[in-house]
Amino acid sequence: AFGSVQRVVHRQTGEVRVRKVVDGSKLSASALKACMLEIRALRRLDHPHVVRLFEYSCDKKSREILMILEALDGGDCERLVKAPYKPLDEGLVGRLLG
């Protein structure tokens, strides 16, 4: 695994958010660059179908990346990948890729 994810609570607002830590030392240079490009894109986006990035920081020495993200209901895509194989509903695929 390249990182960890946990639910956290904003101290001032009480909002539930997600803290994601990525161990950049385990990523190739190109994967690390792609991760940083994704962070830059998320910083600019504000769309109901895209997870919101509130804050991030990068430790250049340890290559650790910390992100504070919007918490979403419904779990994650990992459960879809690990579930016993069955064709995905076309509507679900459209929402995931749309």
Side-chain angles (χ1 to χ4, degrees):
F2 294 108
S4 62
V5 177
Q6 69 184 94
R7 286 185 172 267
V8 295
V9 178
H10 190 282
R11 290 180 184 165
Q12 294 174 336
T13 67
E15 291 180 13
V16 175
R17 296 185 178 170
V18 172
R19 176 181 179 260
K20 181 175 184 178
V21 179
V22 176
D23 183 354
S25 68
K26 294 182 179 180
L27 299 175
S28 67
S30 61
L32 185 60
K33 183 177 179 179
C35 184
M36 294 309 299
L37 287 172
E38 183 175 353
I39 287 171
R40 287 188 193 108
L42 284 174
R43 284 180 53 204
R44 293 189 303 264
L45 289 172
D46 184 13
H47 190 278
H49 299 295
V50 177
V51 67
R52 184 170 174 200
L53 174 67
F54 292 104
E55 302 173 49
Y56 82 98
S57 86
C58 302
D59 184 328
K60 292 185 180 188
K61 187 175 180 181
S62 69
R63 294 180 66 175
E64 181 177 88
I65 302 166
L66 170 77
M67 294 172 269
I68 303 296
L69 303 157
E70 173 184 21
L72 302 175
D73 293 327
D76 56 32
C77 291
E78 183 178 16
R79 69 181 168 84
L80 292 174
V81 173
K82 291 185 175 181
Y85 176 76
K86 63 180 178 179
L88 295 176
D89 175 80
E90 186 176 328
L92 173 62
V93 172
R95 287 193 307 274
L96 290 173
L97 299 178

